[in-house]
Amino acid sequence: MPGILTGIAAIITAIGGILLALNTLGAFDNNGNGGVSSPTIESFGASPEEISSGQGSTLSWSVSDATEISIDPDIGSVSLRGSRTVRPVETTTYTLTASNDAGSVDATTVIFVNENAELPTIESFDANPDSIVSGDSATLSWSVSDATEISIDPNVGSVSPNGSVSVSPTKTTTYTLTATNDAGSADATAVVSVNENVEPPTRTEYSDTERVVSGDSSY
């Protein structure tokens, strides 16, 4: 009998050694899933994290060891790595869920939406005079508030919030002022009409017999 017990103990010891070796080699994970590890979410974020209503933000992610990946709300299934532009109208929490046979993991990122941001105000944008002869000039004048960038096209470019500039178009031209901030952009136009058919005065030559002499004459 003692010999049998000794043999059983030896077998149990051997089996334990085998199981320990297999576990060391990764044959079993902590959940007993035959070496399958849970997915790893390496990164998940939004850029920029704060926007104004109507603007876009880009979600980017990188995941490994997953068989299924999805992003909610409004996106659905995605690949292991990628990016997607979203335009939420209110502050939104996006959740990425990665799954495989071992289970699922998730991560979240928040895009904050400034719903109270206002567009720039173009207080004035005018051309004076608004009609010229080809070769003459007109003055564009403007006043803008709450803008981070202001430009005038064509041929003017970036300008300050308040100012004026002289332009000399050779044909009728519509100038567009665009003012931009985090909420979006606003624009206004001014037209300078050019009369291209007006000809300069011509000099008239007279012969000696056609000249008119003023004053007294005596013979």
Side-chain angles (χ1 to χ4, degrees):
M1 190 69 169
I4 294 175
L5 293 176
T6 301
I8 293 173
I11 293 172
I12 293 173
T13 301
I15 292 173
I18 293 171
L19 292 175
L20 179 61
L22 290 173
N23 185 63
T24 302
L25 293 172
F28 302 101
D29 65 4
N30 294 332
N31 297 319
N33 290 307
V36 178
S37 300
S38 297
T40 300
I41 300 175
E42 297 160 356
S43 63
F44 180 47
S47 179
E49 296 179 344
E50 185 172 351
I51 62 173
S52 297
S53 182
Q55 291 186 313
S57 177
T58 300
L59 298 174
S60 301
W61 64 91
S62 179
V63 180
S64 60
D65 301 324
T67 55
E68 294 182 11
I69 309 167
S70 64
I71 300 175
D72 291 308
D74 304 327
I75 296 180
S77 296
V78 295
S79 59
L80 287 171
R81 294 171 179 79
S83 62
R84 183 75 61 87
T85 298
V86 293
R87 300 180 185 276
V89 296
E90 61 185 358
T91 296
T92 302
T93 299
Y94 289 89
T95 301
L96 182 151
T97 302
S99 306
N100 65 12
D101 291 340
S104 64
V105 294
D106 56 53
T108 61
T109 188
V110 181
I111 298 177
F112 298 93
V113 179
N114 185 352
E115 301 176 49
N116 299 318
E118 296 184 355
L119 294 173
T121 299
I122 300 175
E123 297 159 358
S124 63
F125 182 46
D126 304 296
N128 185 31
D130 58 9
S131 181
I132 62 173
V133 175
S134 181
D136 287 348
S137 62
T139 298
L140 300 176
S141 302
W142 63 90
S143 179
V144 179
S145 59
D146 300 323
T148 54
E149 295 181 12
I150 308 167
S151 63
I152 299 175
D153 291 309
N155 304 325
V156 178
S158 297
V159 296
S160 60
N162 300 282
S164 62
V165 65
S166 179
V167 292
S168 299
T170 57
K171 60 182 180 180
T172 297
T173 302
T174 299
Y175 291 90
T176 301
L177 183 150
T178 301
T180 306
N181 65 13
D182 289 339
S185 62
D187 55 57
T189 60
V191 180
V192 177
S193 299
V194 178
N195 189 342
E196 303 174 52
N197 298 319
V198 175
E199 297 181 356
T202 57
R203 179 180 177 183
T204 303
E205 297 289 343
Y206 296 96
S207 65
D208 290 341
T209 58
E210 293 175 320
R211 293 182 186 275
V212 177
V213 179
S214 63
D216 296 335
S217 296
S218 59
Y219 295 93

